[in-house]
Amino acid sequence: MREDAGPTASFEAPSLARPSARLDALSDAAVRDIAWLLFSPDLLRAQPPDGALATPFESPDEAAATMAWLEAQDADPADLHRHIAAARVTRLGRYAECLLAYFLKHGPAARLIAANVALRRAGVTLGECDFLVETQTGRRLHWELAVKCYLHAGDGRGELADYVGPNLQDRFDLKLAHLLDHQLRLSAREEFASLGHRGPWDAQMFVKGWLFYRNGCAERDPVEIDPAHARGWWATRSDWPAFSAGHADAWMLLPRLEWLALRMRDTRDASDFVSPQTLAQQLARQTGPTMVAAFVEHPEGQWIERSRGFIVPDDWPERAQAFARQQTRKS
């Protein structure tokens, strides 16, 4: 069942969890991305009995200390920038891992024990535990991090299978099944025990991202999804000119490593903004779905992202529905 979210609700991106005003004031892009990982809503609800959610903070004091730490990083992000440059990441998931690892090494909350812990049997890799962390109270946690962008391509069924990756190579229900049936179980395997990481370890999923809805219209969310999740929109190339009319002061293509937190641009750094007409010309050179962001100019001289979404080829919706249904029959 589709519901019209209204012209404002369908466009406005959600603010970060409190303290939102201080988080929104962060100016460095990488620091804002760490803040987004830590404070933004989860994509999923807890999935008992095995799908517990990761919580970065054990107490309000830890959250407050983290906010102060983020502000200090924002004032002097040079060390963080060196950390990112040394990692040479090109994939969004690896970029998110790089940021979370930096926080766990230098932040005031849980501390990093190990990352990307590979499990092998007879020379065959069974999988990797993303993060092993220890909290301030001594709890030992195994976190599996995932940052996903899925487009709702269903027809009102209200199923997790309706959320597909833009390139139709991934789907939310299959990702959740892999988390529950494989990734979260790695730290309980016999092969893990032989690595010497003293436990027991509580496995938790750390799933962040954005879900996108056609023309910004709200859908009936599956029970697995957190209602507070970050939302965007998607539109076909034919529909986009009318959909975007009067929506923003400027637009830009959003590079993959800028898919986390809401973007900000200083007036002096606005050279990558384009008009809707120029953006349409750029999209004509794209072969698949393309993420774009809409910006509005604030009186303080900053450009703030108002919304984000995917512009997809005109035949994409039909192919996306076929992909979801075909995979459902196979699963």
Side-chain angles (χ1 to χ4, degrees), residues 219-273:
E219 295 282 348
R220 181 180 64 189
D221 291 325
V223 296
E224 297 92 342
I225 290 178
D226 186 329
H229 67 271
R231 294 173 179 262
W233 48 266
W234 65 267
T236 63
R237 291 181 183 174
S238 294
D239 291 343
W240 183 73
F243 174 78
S244 62
H247 173 52
D249 298 329
W251 294 82
M252 65 174 288
L253 298 176
L254 208 57
R256 187 173 294 270
L257 295 189
E258 296 190 24
W259 286 11
L260 301 186
L262 298 176
R263 299 291 105 183
M264 294 175 58
R265 289 289 192 275
D266 188 273
T267 301
R268 295 166 297 180
D269 185 30
S271 59
D272 47 1
F273 289 154

Side-chain angles (χ1 to χ4, degrees), residues 137-200:
T137 61
R139 290 187 65 199
R140 295 200 152 213
L141 306 176
H142 160 207
W143 285 351
E144 284 296 319
L145 174 66
V147 175
K148 308 300 292 185
C149 290
Y150 290 117
L151 285 65
H152 182 273
D155 52 8
R157 297 180 300 172
E159 297 180 5
L160 203 60
D162 293 333
Y163 294 81
V164 301
N167 293 322
L168 304 183
Q169 297 177 348
D170 186 17
R171 208 180 63 210
F172 207 175
D173 65 320
L174 301 179
K175 177 59 180 177
L176 176 58
H178 186 63
L179 274 168
L180 297 176
D181 298 340
H182 178 69
Q183 291 176 263
L184 292 174
R185 297 184 178 184
L186 291 172
S187 55
R189 295 185 64 122
E190 179 181 349
E191 294 84 359
F192 180 84
S194 68
L195 297 177
H197 296 294
R198 177 180 57 82

Side-chain angles (χ1 to χ4, degrees), residues 289-303:
T290 304
M291 175 94 82
V292 302
F295 287 79
V296 293
E297 187 175 15
H298 281 223
E300 296 82 5
Q302 289 182 318
W303 292 79

